[in-house]
Amino acid sequence: AAPCRPLSFTTHDQALDWCETERPNLVGAVQQAAASGLTGIAWRLPAVLWGFFYLRSHLGDWANTSRTGLSAARAAHDRPGEARALGDLAAALRSAGRFDEAIDHYHRAMTIYRELGDAEGRLRAVGNLGDAYLHAGQFAKAVEYSRRGLALDRKLGDIWGEGIALSNLGDAYQRLGRYDDAVRCLEQALTVLRTGGNRWVEGVALDVLGTVHHRLGAHDRAVDHYDQALATHRDIGNRWGEGHTLGHLGDVQLAAGDPEAADGSWRQALAIFAEFDHPDAEKIKEKLDSSRPTAR
């Protein structure tokens, strides 16, 4: 509107800090929009907040606002809004470790996108299914959907999606023990991600490459990739990714015979996960407990 003066930010951190300060109001705005019949705002606001919710691990707000948007879209028979809200809710559920529900929601979204003839939406759902199957431990399905997503990305010229698909495919291959294929995909992914400026997934791909080299026993190369991943995560404020990579760094430091360094990395990871009440805090606590010498 004419009297509205949109805010501008000079740094990434400044924008994130504003979102954090205004988070209760942003969440409240979603609820108010739904209650007022403003369906478009009710599902579009969660759709643009997902990146903030992901970076700061606000999984409850992410899921709740996405559910509100989904209900509003369904009540208004807004099929495009329903499909997008299904995908947003699925992403929140996937991040919370509720993989079966996430997969079901992505399939529902993909069905609607197909009915609507929305090729880009369908592509997004296919790629996200590859990621969900990956984290659910269904690696053959992860490879299948990541390959499908990659082919669609390349057909549509979507360089952003291509980098993500290559990263997910590389991760699936490393979990299947296909390390040569994993390295090939991940190195391709880094080239594409850097071309497209996708720093978020660049950090993830570097982390997975570190894990591949860890599994191959190349500890120095693993540490180097984890260090690069940490620098990338910190550059964009991805605290969640930073915590995961610190946990992996501790693993390789322990394998390399440096339990003191491993303890330090795990403690840093625990501090981050505790800060956001992230469920992975328990995994790090278990590592710290198991690494302590037993009393005689």
Side-chain angles (χ1 to χ4, degrees):
C4 179
R5 298 176 66 94
L7 293 174
S8 61
F9 304 101
T10 57
T11 68
H12 184 82
D13 287 343
Q14 188 182 42
L16 276 178
D17 289 344
W18 181 88
C19 287
E20 194 65 72
T21 300
E22 295 294 334
R23 179 162 60 101
N25 295 325
L26 292 164
V27 171
V30 174
Q31 309 299 334
Q32 183 66 24
S36 303
L38 300 173
T39 304
I41 293 175
W43 69 259
R44 285 186 173 91
L45 191 50
V48 296
L49 283 170
W50 78 266
F52 164 64
F53 287 150
Y54 171 85
L55 284 177
R56 293 299 171 91
S57 196
H58 296 308
L59 303 185
D61 285 344
W62 190 1
N64 291 337
T65 54
S66 296
R67 282 195 185 92
T68 299
L70 177 59
S71 295
R74 282 175 169 165
H77 306 290
D78 180 343
R79 294 290 273 170
E82 181 182 356
R84 181 57 190 261
L86 278 165
D88 289 332
L89 179 53
L93 292 168
R94 201 283 290 165
S95 295
R98 296 166 62 176
F99 304 120
D100 290 343
E101 293 173 81
I103 289 167
D104 177 68
H105 281 67
Y106 280 135
H107 275 292
R108 290 173 187 267
M110 187 166 63
T111 298
I112 296 174
Y113 283 129
R114 186 183 294 115
E115 292 171 358
L116 294 171
D118 185 339
E120 290 187 8
R122 182 166 166 254
L123 166 59
R124 188 163 55 243
V126 169
N128 284 329
L129 270 167
D131 179 68
Y133 279 121
L134 173 67
H135 288 88
Q138 299 184 48
F139 304 132
K141 284 279 191 182
V143 169
E144 175 191 345
Y145 277 91
S146 294
R147 280 177 171 169
R148 285 173 59 183
L150 179 60
L152 287 168
D153 285 318
R154 287 172 169 167
K155 181 178 179 180
L156 295 175
D158 185 346
I159 192 171
W160 185 275
E162 181 183 354
I164 295 172
L166 282 166
S167 179
N168 286 339
L169 188 56
D171 198 355
Y173 282 146
Q174 75 89 7
R175 296 182 194 227
L176 287 166
R178 295 171 58 177
Y179 299 127
D180 289 344
D181 289 332
V183 170
R184 175 179 52 80
C185 279
L186 291 163
E187 288 182 346
Q188 286 181 40
L190 285 174
T191 298
V192 174
L193 292 164
R194 286 165 176 161
T195 299
N198 189 341
R199 298 280 284 161
W200 287 22
V201 183
E202 180 184 346
V204 173
L206 285 165
D207 177 274
V208 179
L209 262 175
T211 300
V212 172
H213 290 301
H214 178 190
R215 297 192 188 286
L216 291 171
H219 297 149
D220 289 344
R221 295 190 71 182
V223 169
D224 178 61
H225 281 91
Y226 286 143
D227 285 342
Q228 291 182 57
L230 284 171
T232 306
H233 293 322
R234 288 165 178 161
D235 187 47
I236 61 167
N238 186 352
R239 297 281 282 162
W240 190 350
E242 183 182 351
H244 281 298
T245 297
L246 282 165
H248 297 155
L249 178 60
D251 294 344
V252 77
Q253 287 167 332
L254 183 66
D258 193 347
E260 186 174 342
D263 186 85
S265 294
W266 287 334
R267 289 187 183 281
Q268 290 181 65
L270 180 60
I272 291 171
F273 289 142
E275 177 184 346
F276 296 109
D277 195 26
H278 193 282
D280 281 358
E282 289 303 316
K283 296 178 183 177
I284 299 297
K285 287 178 183 176
E286 290 173 5
K287 290 180 181 182
L288 286 165
D289 290 341
S290 65
S291 69
R292 292 192 182 104
T294 56
R296 292 182 179 273

